[in-house]
Amino acid sequence: MLLIAAVVATALVVGITHRDEPADSRGPGARPGGRTGVDLLAQITDYTARFTPGTGYRPPTRTERRTAASGLRLLLDGHTDQAKERLSGIDLSLDTVTDSATGRRYAEIADRTEQGRAPRGWGRVYVEAGSPARWSVQVPHPVADRNTERLAVGVLRGGQSGVLVIAGAHRKAGRGDAADVAHRRDTVFDAFCDELADRGLPGLQIHGFADDSAPGRDVIASTGRGREGRADGRLLADALRARGFDVCRAWVRSCPLEGHTNVQGARAAAEHVPFLHVEFAGALRTDDRRSARVVDAVGQLTAVWEKGRTT
């Protein structure tokens, strides 16, 4: 019985159980082809495993940021060939991968310098193919906020019509705070997230906190500087509470780590787009059973977003 329960928990974390809906062939990356049989979770965790504070990072120029954003824009509008050409101009690749756990396809934007001696650390984007994008899950501090990238893959797999944006370097890489993408406007990560906010896509940004930062709490949920996401935040907080988690709701009381200085949240607020800044305690990110319950709770929110509306 314990073995069966463990298998079920693991299946939820990796998103093997997901909501099946017919694909819209007009969506981004709808053409067949690309890499098949890819374990998306393994691919992303293998990628982030290389991140250390000593890993190199090069800040992009303004032109490079604009080119990255326009490439994503073309992809989301269904202009795959033009997107590939645009992104190639700044050494970003565009490919399609089929996730072996779900059989679903994603358009992948990746940095070609990842395999070189001096990676730039510009990150990756995964866009579900075959349907219009409806929401995003963002990981600004992979590895530094342990296993946030794993939670994000579970969220992407557990929903439909999602976009995953993941930073390409440890937050302490590079000089000063240059790679701390949650607090910098001059990053490719921010350029991608800006494009999604400009399109009105609600976003969930996943963070992790040390237990002594909020003793007794499992989750800190905030809408950052904005108010538009409060109904969505209540839905998510209620879903997490129903699964046994203690949630500090920053729109109700003062909580630590409320994300008021988060630049992606500030842009979403300026565009009147729902944005949730959610911090998870270590146990929720490292224990498969608890992670599965988190992914299941978030699925209630993304199910609403998939209908093209907020709560």
Side-chain angles (χ1 to χ4, degrees):
M1 292 299 293
L2 289 176
L3 177 60
I4 294 173
V7 170
V8 171
T10 302
L12 283 170
V13 172
V14 301
I16 291 177
T17 56
H18 63 275
R19 296 184 294 279
D20 287 312
E21 296 178 359
D24 182 344
S25 62
R26 298 169 296 174
R31 73 174 74 187
R35 305 195 309 276
T36 60
V38 174
D39 182 334
L40 192 62
L41 178 62
Q43 176 169 286
I44 289 176
T45 54
D46 286 349
Y47 166 56
T48 59
R50 302 192 294 268
F51 296 178
T52 69
T55 304
Y57 174 77
R58 178 175 78 75
T61 66
R62 178 179 296 183
T63 298
E64 288 167 334
R65 298 196 305 271
R66 289 177 174 174
T67 301
S70 66
L72 177 59
R73 184 182 314 123
L74 287 166
L75 173 64
L76 294 173
D77 287 339
H79 305 303
T80 307
D81 289 337
Q82 295 95 317
K84 189 170 186 176
E85 182 178 0
R86 184 71 54 85
L87 293 165
S88 181
I90 55 170
D91 222 12
L92 294 178
S93 65
L94 176 59
D95 200 355
T96 303
V97 299
T98 300
D99 182 22
S100 59
T102 63
R104 290 152 65 188
R105 291 184 300 111
Y106 298 91
E108 175 198 70
I109 298 175
D111 186 350
R112 289 191 179 123
T113 73
E114 290 169 4
Q115 303 301 325
R117 293 184 177 180
R120 297 177 300 191
W122 288 2
R124 290 186 180 182
V125 179
Y126 291 86
V127 181
E128 183 165 2
S131 62
R134 298 293 189 189
W135 51 272
S136 75
V137 56
Q138 305 165 13
V139 186
H141 300 145
V143 178
D145 287 359
R146 184 181 178 189
N147 284 353
T148 50
E149 60 271 29
R150 294 180 64 90
L151 273 185
V153 173
V155 170
L156 183 70
R157 283 173 160 175
Q160 295 276 346
S161 307
V163 180
L164 168 61
V165 186
I166 183 167
H170 193 284
R171 67 184 299 178
K172 294 184 179 180
R175 295 185 177 182
D177 65 347
D180 186 358
V181 298
H183 301 99
R184 301 283 304 216
R185 296 306 312 270
D186 56 349
T187 68
V188 170
F189 178 93
D190 187 69
F192 286 142
C193 292
D194 278 0
E195 175 59 30
L196 299 175
D198 288 347
R199 302 176 76 90
L201 270 62
L204 169 70
Q205 192 169 108
I206 296 179
H207 294 259
F209 69 90
D211 292 344
D212 57 3
S213 296
R217 298 289 192 182
D218 296 309
V219 184
I220 301 167
S222 171
T223 58
R225 297 185 189 180
R227 299 174 60 89
E228 285 74 19
R230 289 192 177 181
D232 297 315
R234 286 193 292 270
L235 186 157
L236 177 58
D238 288 346
L240 288 164
R241 182 180 179 184
R243 287 156 180 79
F245 298 125
D246 189 303
V247 183
C248 188
R249 308 176 188 221
W251 54 88
V252 174
R253 61 181 56 83
S254 177
C255 302
L257 305 171
E258 293 182 350
H260 289 164
T261 60
N262 184 284
V263 299
Q264 290 80 45
R267 178 59 177 266
E271 299 294 332
H272 305 288
V273 173
F275 175 87
L276 298 181
H277 178 283
V278 186
E279 298 263 1
F280 293 97
L284 279 64
R285 293 176 278 120
T286 57
D287 179 270
D288 284 350
R289 293 174 183 271
R290 295 181 187 182
S291 295
R293 283 152 54 198
V294 168
V295 169
D296 189 49
V298 176
Q300 290 194 222
L301 175 62
T302 58
V304 172
W305 286 349
E306 285 155 21
K307 295 178 173 63
R309 61 184 177 86
T310 54
T311 57

